[in-house]
Amino acid sequence: MTRPTFHDFKKKALRDPGVREEYESLAAAYHLKKKLIGLRKKAGLTQEELAEKLNTQKSNISRLENVNSKISPKLSTIEEYAKAVGFKLELDFLPIKTLKPHNDANSADAKSRAAD
Amino acid sequence: MTRPTFHDFKKKALRDPGVREEYESLAAAYHLKKKLIGLRKKAGLTQEELAEKLNTQKSNISRLENVNSKISPKLSTIEEYAKAVGFKLELDFLPIKTLKPHNDANSADAKSRAAD
DNA sequence: GGATATGTTATCATATATGATAACCTTGTC
DNA sequence: GACAAGGTTATCATATATGATAACATATCC
């Protein structure tokens, strides 16, 4: 694959505190939905086709993907969506960085990554 | 009642090919709850203390963490929990290895992922 | 224009997560 | 035994995600 993975991008981007801040804010709401759309299209599926795989309606897929909708989906919904488009959802818990006045070269952030 | 350990659960689940399909999500759910408990304890909080930080009741925290509960929490619930114990939730989508139609009895599929 | 494909929005019904209260169970301490 | 701390379970009320149907909007193609 020529494109950098999300992990690669993330790793690099998070080194920059400015980028990190934006990343954090986007992560929750906006990023997920764009991510889902991207995965679905990568799988070559329309909303209607995906809806059929998930035994639901295209309007519900639209609502899930729509940035304007304020819903916070259930975990299982995202998991099923991911599986239907060929991906597995993984949850990572990253320690919240308490910004110290000066931080050394090797921040312990990535090391103390708390996910499996 | 006695709660099943993860190994008990895994053995039982993998023994029956019929539940193989379900294994991923169930294991993920089991893992999540264990993960949450670990993070809370690492933060040095009791269920009651965490409940207070989240403006809710300890019984609700228990329900969320309890393996026996069949709920699939909202993403926002997990996010808020994580934040309250000092972590940030990140979602990653990992491509599912597409298996060849060669499915004999001991496919290593679930095995490789189940390793912890 | 008419038709098709894709996605959106509105609305209602239903399922389920969460809030809240109370009772209960262990374990430990006195 | 009495008590407290930490966690569990049951139950009800409420909030909200999801299921379902229909109408609408835009393209695109004939």
Side-chain angles (χ1 to χ4, degrees), chain B residues 3 5 7 11 15 18-20 23 26 28 30 32 34-36 43 48-50 59-60 62 77 83 90 103 107 109:
Chain B
R3 281 188 300 278
T5 68
H7 277 294
K11 269 200 216 169
R15 192 174 300 133
V19 299
R20 180 69 59 78
Y23 173 71
L26 288 180
Y30 191 97
L32 170 62
K34 279 185 36 175
K35 191 75 192 173
L36 292 179
E48 192 164 22
E49 290 166 336
L50 177 56
S59 58
N60 298 327
S62 176
T77 302
K83 187 175 180 181
E90 181 193 278
N103 46 354
S107 151
D109 158 45

Short mmCIF file of all heavy atoms in Angstrom, two decimals, chain B residues 3 5 7 11 15 18-20 23 26 28 30 32 34-36 43 48-50 59-60 62 77 83 90 103 107 109:
data_model
loop_
_atom_site.label_atom_id
_atom_site.label_comp_id
_atom_site.label_asym_id
_atom_site.label_seq_id
_atom_site.Cartn_x
_atom_site.Cartn_y
_atom_site.Cartn_z
N ARG B 3 -18.56 -16.19 38.26
CA ARG B 3 -18.37 -15.59 36.94
C ARG B 3 -17.33 -16.40 36.18
O ARG B 3 -16.34 -16.83 36.74
CB ARG B 3 -17.91 -14.15 37.09
CG ARG B 3 -19.04 -13.21 37.42
CD ARG B 3 -18.57 -11.79 37.37
NE ARG B 3 -17.50 -11.53 38.32
CZ ARG B 3 -17.72 -11.27 39.60
NH1 ARG B 3 -18.93 -11.27 40.06
NH2 ARG B 3 -16.72 -11.04 40.40
N THR B 5 -14.25 -17.12 33.85
CA THR B 5 -13.03 -16.40 33.51
C THR B 5 -12.96 -16.28 32.00
O THR B 5 -13.72 -16.89 31.27
CB THR B 5 -11.79 -17.18 33.98
OG1 THR B 5 -11.69 -18.37 33.20
CG2 THR B 5 -11.89 -17.50 35.44
N HIS B 7 -10.68 -17.34 30.09
CA HIS B 7 -10.24 -18.59 29.50
C HIS B 7 -11.38 -19.60 29.41
O HIS B 7 -11.51 -20.31 28.41
CB HIS B 7 -9.08 -19.18 30.29
CG HIS B 7 -7.77 -18.59 29.91
ND1 HIS B 7 -7.21 -18.78 28.66
CD2 HIS B 7 -6.92 -17.79 30.57
CE1 HIS B 7 -6.06 -18.13 28.58
NE2 HIS B 7 -5.87 -17.52 29.73
N LYS B 11 -12.47 -20.96 25.76
CA LYS B 11 -12.48 -22.39 25.46
C LYS B 11 -13.86 -22.83 24.98
O LYS B 11 -14.01 -23.48 23.96
CB LYS B 11 -12.13 -23.19 26.72
CG LYS B 11 -10.64 -23.47 26.87
CD LYS B 11 -10.49 -24.63 27.84
CE LYS B 11 -9.26 -24.47 28.72
NZ LYS B 11 -9.23 -25.42 29.80
N ARG B 15 -14.80 -23.98 21.08
CA ARG B 15 -15.09 -25.39 20.89
C ARG B 15 -16.23 -25.57 19.90
O ARG B 15 -16.29 -26.52 19.16
CB ARG B 15 -15.44 -26.02 22.24
CG ARG B 15 -15.47 -27.54 22.20
CD ARG B 15 -15.67 -28.07 23.61
NE ARG B 15 -14.61 -27.67 24.51
CZ ARG B 15 -14.82 -27.17 25.72
NH1 ARG B 15 -16.04 -26.99 26.15
NH2 ARG B 15 -13.81 -26.85 26.49
N GLY B 18 -20.12 -23.03 15.78
CA GLY B 18 -21.31 -22.24 15.57
C GLY B 18 -21.24 -20.86 16.20
O GLY B 18 -21.84 -19.91 15.71
N VAL B 19 -20.48 -20.78 17.26
CA VAL B 19 -20.39 -19.50 17.94
C VAL B 19 -19.14 -18.75 17.53
O VAL B 19 -18.89 -17.65 18.02
CB VAL B 19 -20.40 -19.65 19.47
CG1 VAL B 19 -21.69 -20.30 19.93
CG2 VAL B 19 -19.20 -20.42 19.94
N ARG B 20 -18.39 -19.35 16.65
CA ARG B 20 -17.17 -18.67 16.19
C ARG B 20 -17.46 -17.27 15.68
O ARG B 20 -16.72 -16.32 15.93
CB ARG B 20 -16.50 -19.51 15.10
CG ARG B 20 -15.24 -18.91 14.58
CD ARG B 20 -14.14 -18.96 15.62
NE ARG B 20 -13.83 -20.30 16.06
CZ ARG B 20 -13.11 -21.17 15.37
NH1 ARG B 20 -12.64 -20.86 14.21
NH2 ARG B 20 -12.87 -22.36 15.86
N TYR B 23 -17.77 -14.89 18.39
CA TYR B 23 -16.65 -14.83 19.31
C TYR B 23 -15.99 -13.46 19.33
O TYR B 23 -15.70 -12.92 20.39
CB TYR B 23 -15.61 -15.90 18.93
CG TYR B 23 -14.35 -15.80 19.73
CD1 TYR B 23 -14.36 -16.15 21.08
CD2 TYR B 23 -13.18 -15.34 19.16
CE1 TYR B 23 -13.22 -16.05 21.83
CE2 TYR B 23 -12.03 -15.24 19.91
CZ TYR B 23 -12.04 -15.60 21.24
OH TYR B 23 -10.91 -15.49 21.98
N LEU B 26 -18.08 -10.76 21.17
CA LEU B 26 -18.22 -11.05 22.59
C LEU B 26 -16.90 -10.88 23.31
O LEU B 26 -16.84 -10.29 24.38
CB LEU B 26 -18.72 -12.49 22.77
CG LEU B 26 -20.17 -12.73 22.39
CD1 LEU B 26 -20.54 -14.17 22.61
CD2 LEU B 26 -21.06 -11.83 23.24
N ALA B 28 -14.54 -9.01 22.43
CA ALA B 28 -14.24 -7.59 22.47
C ALA B 28 -14.99 -6.93 23.61
O ALA B 28 -14.44 -6.11 24.34
CB ALA B 28 -14.62 -6.95 21.14
N TYR B 30 -16.08 -8.35 26.32
CA TYR B 30 -15.48 -8.81 27.57
C TYR B 30 -14.20 -8.05 27.87
O TYR B 30 -13.98 -7.59 28.99
CB TYR B 30 -15.19 -10.31 27.46
CG TYR B 30 -14.82 -10.97 28.76
CD1 TYR B 30 -15.79 -11.65 29.49
CD2 TYR B 30 -13.52 -10.92 29.23
CE1 TYR B 30 -15.46 -12.25 30.68
CE2 TYR B 30 -13.19 -11.53 30.43
CZ TYR B 30 -14.15 -12.20 31.15
OH TYR B 30 -13.83 -12.80 32.32
N LEU B 32 -13.34 -5.15 26.77
CA LEU B 32 -13.59 -3.75 27.07
C LEU B 32 -13.88 -3.54 28.54
O LEU B 32 -13.34 -2.65 29.17
CB LEU B 32 -14.77 -3.25 26.22
CG LEU B 32 -15.29 -1.88 26.60
CD1 LEU B 32 -14.20 -0.82 26.39
CD2 LEU B 32 -16.53 -1.53 25.81
N LYS B 34 -13.19 -5.44 31.11
CA LYS B 34 -11.99 -5.65 31.92
C LYS B 34 -11.05 -4.46 31.81
O LYS B 34 -10.42 -4.04 32.77
CB LYS B 34 -11.27 -6.94 31.49
CG LYS B 34 -11.90 -8.18 32.07
CD LYS B 34 -11.14 -9.46 31.74
CE LYS B 34 -9.64 -9.30 31.69
NZ LYS B 34 -8.96 -10.62 31.48
N LYS B 35 -10.99 -3.94 30.60
CA LYS B 35 -10.13 -2.79 30.36
C LYS B 35 -10.58 -1.59 31.18
O LYS B 35 -9.77 -0.92 31.82
CB LYS B 35 -10.18 -2.45 28.87
CG LYS B 35 -9.14 -1.46 28.44
CD LYS B 35 -7.80 -2.12 28.37
CE LYS B 35 -6.69 -1.11 28.24
NZ LYS B 35 -5.38 -1.77 28.35
N LEU B 36 -11.85 -1.35 31.16
CA LEU B 36 -12.39 -0.21 31.89
C LEU B 36 -12.09 -0.32 33.37
O LEU B 36 -11.66 0.65 34.02
CB LEU B 36 -13.90 -0.11 31.66
CG LEU B 36 -14.35 0.27 30.25
CD1 LEU B 36 -15.87 0.29 30.17
CD2 LEU B 36 -13.77 1.62 29.85
N ALA B 43 -6.48 4.58 38.06
CA ALA B 43 -6.73 5.96 38.44
C ALA B 43 -7.03 6.08 39.93
O ALA B 43 -7.20 7.19 40.44
CB ALA B 43 -7.89 6.52 37.62
N GLU B 48 -17.94 4.25 43.08
CA GLU B 48 -18.72 5.38 43.61
C GLU B 48 -18.05 6.71 43.30
O GLU B 48 -18.72 7.68 42.94
CB GLU B 48 -18.88 5.21 45.13
CG GLU B 48 -19.89 6.17 45.73
CD GLU B 48 -20.32 5.73 47.12
OE1 GLU B 48 -19.56 4.98 47.76
OE2 GLU B 48 -21.41 6.14 47.57
N GLU B 49 -16.74 6.75 43.44
CA GLU B 49 -16.03 7.99 43.15
C GLU B 49 -16.12 8.35 41.67
O GLU B 49 -16.29 9.52 41.29
CB GLU B 49 -14.56 7.86 43.57
CG GLU B 49 -14.38 7.82 45.08
CD GLU B 49 -12.99 7.36 45.50
OE1 GLU B 49 -12.33 6.64 44.71
OE2 GLU B 49 -12.55 7.71 46.60
N LEU B 50 -15.98 7.33 40.84
CA LEU B 50 -16.09 7.58 39.41
C LEU B 50 -17.50 8.03 39.04
O LEU B 50 -17.68 8.94 38.23
CB LEU B 50 -15.72 6.31 38.62
CG LEU B 50 -15.87 6.42 37.11
CD1 LEU B 50 -15.05 7.59 36.56
CD2 LEU B 50 -15.47 5.12 36.43
N SER B 59 -24.24 2.24 40.86
CA SER B 59 -24.88 1.06 40.27
C SER B 59 -24.77 1.09 38.74
O SER B 59 -24.67 0.05 38.10
CB SER B 59 -26.34 1.01 40.69
OG SER B 59 -27.03 2.17 40.29
N ASN B 60 -24.79 2.28 38.20
CA ASN B 60 -24.69 2.39 36.75
C ASN B 60 -23.27 2.07 36.28
O ASN B 60 -23.08 1.47 35.22
CB ASN B 60 -25.10 3.78 36.30
CG ASN B 60 -26.54 4.09 36.63
OD1 ASN B 60 -27.39 3.20 36.61
ND2 ASN B 60 -26.83 5.34 36.96
N SER B 62 -21.32 0.02 37.83
CA SER B 62 -21.26 -1.42 37.96
C SER B 62 -21.87 -2.12 36.75
O SER B 62 -21.30 -3.06 36.20
CB SER B 62 -21.98 -1.86 39.23
OG SER B 62 -22.01 -3.26 39.32
N THR B 77 -20.57 7.22 26.06
CA THR B 77 -20.44 6.72 27.43
C THR B 77 -19.03 6.23 27.69
O THR B 77 -18.43 6.55 28.73
CB THR B 77 -21.44 5.58 27.67
OG1 THR B 77 -22.76 6.05 27.42
CG2 THR B 77 -21.35 5.07 29.10
N LYS B 83 -12.29 9.44 29.73
CA LYS B 83 -11.79 10.76 30.08
C LYS B 83 -11.73 10.95 31.60
O LYS B 83 -10.79 11.52 32.13
CB LYS B 83 -12.68 11.83 29.45
CG LYS B 83 -12.16 13.24 29.59
CD LYS B 83 -13.05 14.22 28.84
CE LYS B 83 -12.53 15.64 28.98
NZ LYS B 83 -13.39 16.63 28.27
N GLU B 90 -9.69 6.03 21.49
CA GLU B 90 -9.40 6.13 20.07
C GLU B 90 -9.94 4.90 19.36
O GLU B 90 -9.81 3.79 19.85
CB GLU B 90 -7.90 6.24 19.85
CG GLU B 90 -7.52 6.38 18.40
CD GLU B 90 -6.03 6.18 18.20
OE1 GLU B 90 -5.30 7.15 18.42
OE2 GLU B 90 -5.63 5.06 17.86
N ASN B 103 -12.12 -23.61 4.58
CA ASN B 103 -12.29 -23.63 6.03
C ASN B 103 -12.38 -25.05 6.56
O ASN B 103 -13.44 -25.64 6.63
CB ASN B 103 -13.51 -22.83 6.45
CG ASN B 103 -14.70 -23.16 5.60
OD1 ASN B 103 -14.58 -23.90 4.64
ND2 ASN B 103 -15.85 -22.65 5.96
N SER B 107 -8.98 -23.87 11.54
CA SER B 107 -8.47 -22.64 10.97
C SER B 107 -7.86 -21.81 12.09
O SER B 107 -8.40 -21.72 13.18
CB SER B 107 -9.62 -21.87 10.32
OG SER B 107 -9.39 -20.50 10.35
N ASP B 109 -7.69 -18.83 12.35
CA ASP B 109 -8.25 -17.48 12.28
C ASP B 109 -8.47 -16.85 13.64
O ASP B 109 -7.82 -15.89 14.01
CB ASP B 109 -9.54 -17.56 11.49
CG ASP B 109 -10.48 -16.42 11.77
OD1 ASP B 109 -9.98 -15.29 11.81
OD2 ASP B 109 -11.67 -16.68 11.95
#
